[in-house]
Amino acid sequence: MKNKIIQSFVEEFKEKGTILVCDTIATIETIEKFLISENLYFETKFENGCTRFLKSDIPPY
């Protein structure tokens, strides 16, 4: 179940270039790992208690 939610976040990021995640730190870290494994670069911003992933040209690590 959780993997489907994470995969939907990754697909939305691919389409829109941004996602807003209001979930646990573990979920946010898992999304980061999925994005990195797909070679999708991003930066994160804290926004109203949530984490926003924004598309970037610079590797996050």
Side-chain angles (χ1 to χ4, degrees):
M1 177 77 176
K2 199 73 162 171
N3 275 343
K4 287 184 180 182
I5 294 169
I6 291 169
Q7 192 61 37
S8 71
F9 276 125
V10 172
E11 291 302 318
E12 182 178 347
F13 182 82
K14 286 179 183 178
E15 289 175 21
K16 297 180 180 177
T18 183
I19 52 173
L20 184 63
V21 181
C22 300
D23 209 321
T24 64
I25 292 172
T27 300
I28 291 168
E29 289 175 349
T30 304
I31 291 170
E32 288 176 347
K33 290 176 186 175
F34 267 86
L35 293 174
I36 291 168
S37 73
E38 300 263 338
N39 292 321
L40 297 169
Y41 299 151
F42 60 90
E43 58 184 78
T44 57
K45 295 189 186 232
F46 192 68
E47 191 174 300
N48 296 326
C50 301
T51 302
R52 180 168 297 279
F53 289 83
L54 299 164
K55 199 173 211 175
S56 176
D57 294 331
I58 302 168
Y61 39 89

